[in-house]
Tab-separated table of all heavy atoms in Angstrom:
chain	number	residue	atom	x	y	z
A	31	ASN	N	77.244	17.077	131.161
A	31	ASN	CA	77.956	18.084	131.947
A	31	ASN	C	78.615	19.065	130.996
A	31	ASN	O	79.140	18.685	129.959
A	31	ASN	CB	79.004	17.435	132.846
A	31	ASN	CG	78.364	16.695	133.993
A	31	ASN	OD1	77.447	17.200	134.624
A	31	ASN	ND2	78.828	15.491	134.260
A	32	THR	N	78.568	20.328	131.363
A	32	THR	CA	79.133	21.365	130.519
A	32	THR	C	80.339	21.988	131.207
A	32	THR	O	80.499	21.864	132.419
A	32	THR	CB	78.087	22.467	130.250
A	32	THR	OG1	77.779	23.087	131.490
A	32	THR	CG2	76.840	21.894	129.622
A	33	PRO	N	81.185	22.688	130.446
A	33	PRO	CA	82.357	23.317	131.052
A	33	PRO	C	81.979	24.506	131.942
A	33	PRO	O	82.758	24.918	132.775
A	33	PRO	CB	83.183	23.780	129.858
A	33	PRO	CG	82.239	23.804	128.706
A	33	PRO	CD	81.164	22.804	129.009
A	34	ALA	N	80.790	25.056	131.788
A	34	ALA	CA	80.353	26.179	132.619
A	34	ALA	C	79.848	25.648	133.958
A	34	ALA	O	80.005	24.468	134.268
A	34	ALA	CB	79.242	26.938	131.890
A	35	VAL	N	79.252	26.499	134.740
A	35	VAL	CA	78.726	26.092	136.052
A	35	VAL	C	77.289	25.598	135.907
A	35	VAL	O	76.439	25.894	136.729
A	35	VAL	CB	78.800	27.255	137.069
A	35	VAL	CG1	80.238	27.573	137.395
A	35	VAL	CG2	78.048	28.465	136.571
A	36	CYS	N	77.036	24.845	134.847
A	36	CYS	CA	75.699	24.329	134.631
A	36	CYS	C	75.754	22.883	134.160
A	36	CYS	O	76.788	22.383	133.756
A	36	CYS	CB	74.936	25.185	133.629
A	36	CYS	SG	75.569	25.140	131.942
A	37	GLU	N	74.619	22.253	134.260
A	37	GLU	CA	74.432	20.873	133.823
A	37	GLU	C	73.244	20.872	132.879
A	37	GLU	O	72.270	21.591	133.105
A	37	GLU	CB	74.149	20.013	135.052
A	37	GLU	CG	73.818	18.584	134.749
A	37	GLU	CD	73.358	17.864	136.012
A	37	GLU	OE1	73.851	18.188	137.107
A	37	GLU	OE2	72.498	16.986	135.876
A	38	ILE	N	73.297	20.083	131.823
A	38	ILE	CA	72.198	19.978	130.867
A	38	ILE	C	71.690	18.549	130.889
A	38	ILE	O	72.467	17.600	130.840
A	38	ILE	CB	72.653	20.396	129.454
A	38	ILE	CG1	73.122	21.853	129.484
A	38	ILE	CG2	71.524	20.193	128.450
A	38	ILE	CD1	73.765	22.340	128.222
A	39	SER	N	70.370	18.426	130.980
A	39	SER	CA	69.759	17.108	131.109
A	39	SER	C	68.509	17.010	130.249
A	39	SER	O	67.790	17.993	130.070
A	39	SER	CB	69.391	16.867	132.578
A	39	SER	OG	68.656	15.672	132.714
A	40	THR	N	68.230	15.807	129.761
A	40	THR	CA	66.995	15.533	129.028
A	40	THR	C	65.963	14.848	129.922
A	40	THR	O	64.934	14.389	129.441
A	40	THR	CB	67.267	14.639	127.797
A	40	THR	OG1	67.884	13.426	128.232
A	40	THR	CG2	68.151	15.348	126.785
A	41	ASP	N	66.212	14.812	131.215
A	41	ASP	CA	65.296	14.184	132.168
A	41	ASP	C	64.026	15.023	132.306
A	41	ASP	O	64.044	16.112	132.863
A	41	ASP	CB	65.987	14.033	133.524
A	41	ASP	CG	65.142	13.326	134.565
A	41	ASP	OD1	63.944	13.046	134.309
A	41	ASP	OD2	65.676	13.053	135.655
A	42	LEU	N	62.926	14.493	131.810
A	42	LEU	CA	61.635	15.172	131.824
A	42	LEU	C	61.173	15.499	133.244
A	42	LEU	O	60.545	16.529	133.480
A	42	LEU	CB	60.599	14.292	131.117
A	42	LEU	CG	59.284	14.913	130.699
A	42	LEU	CD1	59.491	16.052	129.722
A	42	LEU	CD2	58.397	13.842	130.085
A	43	GLU	N	61.513	14.657	134.182
A	43	GLU	CA	61.073	14.847	135.570
A	43	GLU	C	61.737	16.047	136.250
A	43	GLU	O	61.209	16.575	137.221
A	43	GLU	CB	61.328	13.579	136.391
A	43	GLU	CG	60.584	12.354	135.883
A	43	GLU	CD	59.078	12.560	135.846
A	43	GLU	OE1	58.519	13.061	136.851
A	43	GLU	OE2	58.457	12.226	134.817
A	44	ARG	N	62.890	16.456	135.752
A	44	ARG	CA	63.599	17.590	136.364
A	44	ARG	C	63.061	18.944	135.922
A	44	ARG	O	63.332	19.954	136.560
A	44	ARG	CB	65.088	17.533	136.027
A	44	ARG	CG	65.817	16.418	136.739
A	44	ARG	CD	67.291	16.489	136.512
A	44	ARG	NE	67.883	17.675	137.173
A	44	ARG	CZ	69.154	18.014	137.061
A	44	ARG	NH1	69.976	17.290	136.318
A	44	ARG	NH2	69.630	19.076	137.685
A	45	LEU	N	62.312	18.979	134.838
A	45	LEU	CA	61.841	20.249	134.301
A	45	LEU	C	60.915	20.960	135.280
A	45	LEU	O	60.011	20.353	135.852
A	45	LEU	CB	61.090	20.035	132.984
A	45	LEU	CG	61.903	19.500	131.811
A	45	LEU	CD1	60.989	19.242	130.625
A	45	LEU	CD2	63.025	20.458	131.433
A	46	ASP	N	61.140	22.258	135.448
A	46	ASP	CA	60.257	23.105	136.242
A	46	ASP	C	59.263	23.730	135.263
A	46	ASP	O	59.510	24.783	134.679
A	46	ASP	CB	61.080	24.171	136.968
A	46	ASP	CG	60.246	25.057	137.872
A	46	ASP	OD1	59.025	25.190	137.639
A	46	ASP	OD2	60.826	25.647	138.807
A	47	ARG	N	58.144	23.052	135.063
A	47	ARG	CA	57.165	23.466	134.055
A	47	ARG	C	56.612	24.863	134.322
A	47	ARG	O	56.315	25.604	133.383
A	47	ARG	CB	56.043	22.443	133.960
A	47	ARG	CG	56.503	21.139	133.334
A	47	ARG	CD	55.413	20.081	133.425
A	47	ARG	NE	55.854	18.835	132.829
A	47	ARG	CZ	55.316	18.299	131.732
A	47	ARG	NH1	54.311	18.881	131.135
A	47	ARG	NH2	55.777	17.159	131.262
A	48	GLU	N	56.473	25.213	135.576
A	48	GLU	CA	55.945	26.540	135.919
A	48	GLU	C	56.896	27.639	135.454
A	48	GLU	O	56.479	28.619	134.832
A	48	GLU	CB	55.710	26.652	137.425
A	48	GLU	CG	55.172	28.003	137.860
A	48	GLU	CD	53.836	28.349	137.225
A	48	GLU	OE1	52.987	27.441	137.049
A	48	GLU	OE2	53.636	29.540	136.889
A	49	ILE	N	58.181	27.481	135.729
A	49	ILE	CA	59.136	28.520	135.319
A	49	ILE	C	59.297	28.540	133.800
A	49	ILE	O	59.410	29.615	133.200
A	49	ILE	CB	60.493	28.387	136.053
A	49	ILE	CG1	61.246	29.714	135.965
A	49	ILE	CG2	61.347	27.262	135.497
A	49	ILE	CD1	62.402	29.826	136.917
A	50	ILE	N	59.267	27.382	133.166
A	50	ILE	CA	59.346	27.342	131.698
A	50	ILE	C	58.172	28.106	131.107
A	50	ILE	O	58.336	28.930	130.206
A	50	ILE	CB	59.375	25.886	131.178
A	50	ILE	CG1	60.673	25.200	131.578
A	50	ILE	CG2	59.192	25.857	129.658
A	50	ILE	CD1	60.672	23.690	131.374
A	51	HIS	N	56.981	27.854	131.627
A	51	HIS	CA	55.798	28.552	131.120
A	51	HIS	C	55.931	30.062	131.340
A	51	HIS	O	55.645	30.857	130.442
A	51	HIS	CB	54.520	28.027	131.784
A	51	HIS	CG	53.315	28.769	131.336
A	51	HIS	ND1	52.652	29.661	132.137
A	51	HIS	CD2	52.683	28.804	130.129
A	51	HIS	CE1	51.654	30.198	131.461
A	51	HIS	NE2	51.652	29.693	130.248
A	52	ARG	N	56.374	30.469	132.508
A	52	ARG	CA	56.538	31.900	132.790
A	52	ARG	C	57.550	32.521	131.829
A	52	ARG	O	57.300	33.583	131.253
A	52	ARG	CB	56.966	32.112	134.239
A	52	ARG	CG	56.943	33.566	134.638
A	52	ARG	CD	57.119	33.841	136.120
A	52	ARG	NE	57.126	32.691	136.993
A	52	ARG	CZ	58.206	32.242	137.645
A	52	ARG	NH1	59.366	32.846	137.521
A	52	ARG	NH2	58.132	31.193	138.425
A	53	TRP	N	58.710	31.873	131.677
A	53	TRP	CA	59.719	32.406	130.764
A	53	TRP	C	59.142	32.619	129.373
A	53	TRP	O	59.299	33.686	128.782
A	53	TRP	CB	60.901	31.449	130.651
A	53	TRP	CG	61.829	31.383	131.803
A	53	TRP	CD1	62.038	32.324	132.781
A	53	TRP	CD2	62.712	30.298	132.107
A	53	TRP	NE1	62.996	31.889	133.664
A	53	TRP	CE2	63.426	30.646	133.271
A	53	TRP	CE3	62.966	29.076	131.507
A	53	TRP	CZ2	64.382	29.818	133.842
A	53	TRP	CZ3	63.920	28.242	132.079
A	53	TRP	CH2	64.616	28.606	133.231
A	54	LEU	N	58.531	31.563	128.845
A	54	LEU	CA	58.089	31.614	127.457
A	54	LEU	C	56.857	32.485	127.259
A	54	LEU	O	56.793	33.260	126.303
A	54	LEU	CB	57.840	30.202	126.925
A	54	LEU	CG	59.084	29.304	126.889
A	54	LEU	CD1	58.721	27.920	126.385
A	54	LEU	CD2	60.196	29.915	126.058
A	55	SER	N	55.876	32.388	128.141
A	55	SER	CA	54.623	33.136	127.937
A	55	SER	C	54.721	34.600	128.319
A	55	SER	O	53.948	35.419	127.831
A	55	SER	CB	53.479	32.475	128.706
A	55	SER	OG	53.647	32.623	130.097
A	56	GLU	N	55.686	34.948	129.187
A	56	GLU	CA	55.791	36.332	129.630
A	56	GLU	C	57.017	37.068	129.114
A	56	GLU	O	56.991	38.293	129.000
A	56	GLU	CB	55.811	36.389	131.171
A	56	GLU	CG	54.534	35.881	131.806
A	56	GLU	CD	54.593	35.859	133.325
A	56	GLU	OE1	55.550	36.434	133.913
A	56	GLU	OE2	53.690	35.258	133.933
A	57	ASP	N	58.097	36.361	128.803
A	57	ASP	CA	59.350	37.037	128.470
A	57	ASP	C	59.843	36.797	127.044
A	57	ASP	O	60.648	37.568	126.545
A	57	ASP	CB	60.442	36.635	129.475
A	57	ASP	CG	61.642	37.562	129.411
A	57	ASP	OD1	61.444	38.791	129.262
A	57	ASP	OD2	62.775	37.064	129.490
A	58	SER	N	59.404	35.753	126.389
A	58	SER	CA	59.884	35.504	125.030
A	58	SER	C	59.048	36.297	124.028
A	58	SER	O	57.913	36.658	124.303
A	58	SER	CB	59.804	34.007	124.690
A	58	SER	OG	58.462	33.635	124.417
A	59	TYR	N	59.620	36.564	122.860
A	59	TYR	CA	58.856	37.239	121.809
A	59	TYR	C	58.047	36.251	120.986
A	59	TYR	O	57.087	36.614	120.339
A	59	TYR	CB	59.779	38.078	120.907
A	59	TYR	CG	60.781	37.261	120.115
A	59	TYR	CD1	60.435	36.660	118.919
A	59	TYR	CD2	62.086	37.099	120.580
A	59	TYR	CE1	61.358	35.906	118.204
A	59	TYR	CE2	63.009	36.364	119.873
A	59	TYR	CZ	62.641	35.759	118.692
A	59	TYR	OH	63.552	35.016	117.989
A	60	TRP	N	58.417	34.975	120.992
A	60	TRP	CA	57.783	33.999	120.117
A	60	TRP	C	56.640	33.225	120.766
A	60	TRP	O	55.841	32.618	120.054
A	60	TRP	CB	58.821	33.017	119.571
A	60	TRP	CG	59.439	32.161	120.646
A	60	TRP	CD1	58.979	30.950	121.096
A	60	TRP	CD2	60.591	32.462	121.418
A	60	TRP	NE1	59.790	30.486	122.101
A	60	TRP	CE2	60.797	31.398	122.323
A	60	TRP	CE3	61.493	33.528	121.440
A	60	TRP	CZ2	61.840	31.370	123.237
A	60	TRP	CZ3	62.532	33.487	122.352
A	60	TRP	CH2	62.695	32.428	123.226
A	61	ALA	N	56.550	33.198	122.083
A	61	ALA	CA	55.507	32.397	122.739
A	61	ALA	C	54.702	33.215	123.748
A	61	ALA	O	54.017	32.649	124.588
A	61	ALA	CB	56.142	31.192	123.423
A	62	ARG	N	54.795	34.532	123.634
A	62	ARG	CA	54.085	35.403	124.577
A	62	ARG	C	52.597	35.060	124.566
A	62	ARG	O	51.983	34.956	123.515
A	62	ARG	CB	54.294	36.859	124.202
A	62	ARG	CG	53.772	37.822	125.263
A	62	ARG	CD	54.220	39.242	124.993
A	62	ARG	NE	55.655	39.369	124.827
A	62	ARG	CZ	56.508	39.600	125.816
A	62	ARG	NH1	56.073	39.708	127.034
A	62	ARG	NH2	57.799	39.703	125.575
A	63	GLY	N	52.060	34.845	125.754
A	63	GLY	CA	50.642	34.534	125.886
A	63	GLY	C	50.287	33.069	125.710
A	63	GLY	O	49.117	32.700	125.822
A	64	ARG	N	51.265	32.226	125.458
A	64	ARG	CA	50.987	30.789	125.305
A	64	ARG	C	50.385	30.268	126.608
A	64	ARG	O	50.889	30.560	127.690
A	64	ARG	CB	52.271	30.039	124.967
A	64	ARG	CG	52.065	28.542	124.725
A	64	ARG	CD	53.376	27.823	124.466
A	64	ARG	NE	53.937	28.205	123.172
A	64	ARG	CZ	55.187	27.907	122.798
A	64	ARG	NH1	56.000	27.240	123.607
A	64	ARG	NH2	55.634	28.267	121.620
A	65	SER	N	49.332	29.484	126.514
A	65	SER	CA	48.681	28.959	127.716
A	65	SER	C	49.533	27.881	128.366
A	65	SER	O	50.350	27.225	127.705
A	65	SER	CB	47.305	28.385	127.377
A	65	SER	OG	47.441	27.157	126.679
A	66	ARG	N	49.344	27.683	129.645
A	66	ARG	CA	50.062	26.636	130.374
A	66	ARG	C	49.700	25.275	129.800
A	66	ARG	O	50.561	24.395	129.655
A	66	ARG	CB	49.726	26.721	131.874
A	66	ARG	CG	50.281	25.582	132.723
A	66	ARG	CD	51.812	25.606	132.791
A	66	ARG	NE	52.306	24.398	133.399
A	66	ARG	CZ	52.608	24.252	134.685
A	66	ARG	NH1	52.499	25.282	135.509
A	66	ARG	NH2	53.054	23.108	135.145
A	67	GLU	N	48.438	25.076	129.463
A	67	GLU	CA	47.998	23.795	128.893
A	67	GLU	C	48.725	23.509	127.578
A	67	GLU	O	49.220	22.399	127.362
A	67	GLU	CB	46.489	23.817	128.670
A	67	GLU	CG	45.961	22.551	128.046
A	67	GLU	CD	44.462	22.604	127.779
A	67	GLU	OE1	43.905	23.712	127.628
A	67	GLU	OE2	43.868	21.527	127.705
A	68	LYS	N	48.820	24.517	126.717
A	68	LYS	CA	49.514	24.329	125.438
A	68	LYS	C	51.000	24.071	125.670
A	68	LYS	O	51.606	23.218	125.015
A	68	LYS	CB	49.318	25.546	124.538
A	68	LYS	CG	49.833	25.315	123.124
A	68	LYS	CD	49.342	26.344	122.150
A	68	LYS	CE	47.913	26.215	121.796
A	68	LYS	NZ	47.570	25.184	120.839
A	69	GLN	N	51.608	24.779	126.637
A	69	GLN	CA	53.023	24.573	126.939
A	69	GLN	C	53.263	23.161	127.459
A	69	GLN	O	54.211	22.495	127.058
A	69	GLN	CB	53.533	25.604	127.943
A	69	GLN	CG	55.014	25.479	128.240
A	69	GLN	CD	55.856	25.668	126.994
A	69	GLN	OE1	55.687	26.649	126.280
A	69	GLN	NE2	56.759	24.747	126.723
A	70	ASP	N	52.415	22.688	128.370
A	70	ASP	CA	52.568	21.329	128.893
A	70	ASP	C	52.428	20.286	127.791
A	70	ASP	O	53.169	19.300	127.761
A	70	ASP	CB	51.562	21.062	130.018
A	70	ASP	CG	51.958	21.720	131.327
A	70	ASP	OD1	53.135	22.111	131.484
A	70	ASP	OD2	51.083	21.845	132.204
A	71	THR	N	51.499	20.499	126.868
A	71	THR	CA	51.336	19.571	125.740
A	71	THR	C	52.587	19.571	124.864
A	71	THR	O	53.048	18.513	124.425
A	71	THR	CB	50.090	19.942	124.911
A	71	THR	OG1	48.939	19.871	125.753
A	71	THR	CG2	49.907	19.003	123.732
A	72	ALA	N	53.147	20.761	124.628
A	72	ALA	CA	54.376	20.856	123.831
A	72	ALA	C	55.518	20.100	124.504
A	72	ALA	O	56.263	19.358	123.849
A	72	ALA	CB	54.752	22.324	123.617
A	73	ILE	N	55.653	20.263	125.812
A	73	ILE	CA	56.701	19.549	126.552
A	73	ILE	C	56.486	18.045	126.454
A	73	ILE	O	57.421	17.290	126.166
A	73	ILE	CB	56.726	20.005	128.032
A	73	ILE	CG1	57.279	21.431	128.139
A	73	ILE	CG2	57.555	19.043	128.886
A	73	ILE	CD1	57.137	22.057	129.515
Side-chain angles (χ1 to χ4, degrees):
N31 288 316
T32 64
V35 292
C36 67
E37 175 188 327
I38 299 172
S39 173
T40 58
D41 183 353
L42 195 60
E43 299 302 313
R44 289 187 68 184
L45 295 175
D46 183 336
R47 290 172 180 246
E48 180 60 37
I49 199 165
I50 292 168
H51 177 253
R52 189 170 353 110
W53 286 338
L54 297 178
S55 69
E56 297 176 11
D57 195 40
S58 76
Y59 65 83
W60 65 89
R62 189 169 307 270
R64 183 183 290 168
S65 73
R66 173 67 190 265
E67 178 182 25
K68 189 165 287 282
Q69 183 61 51
D70 284 343
T71 300
I73 289 171

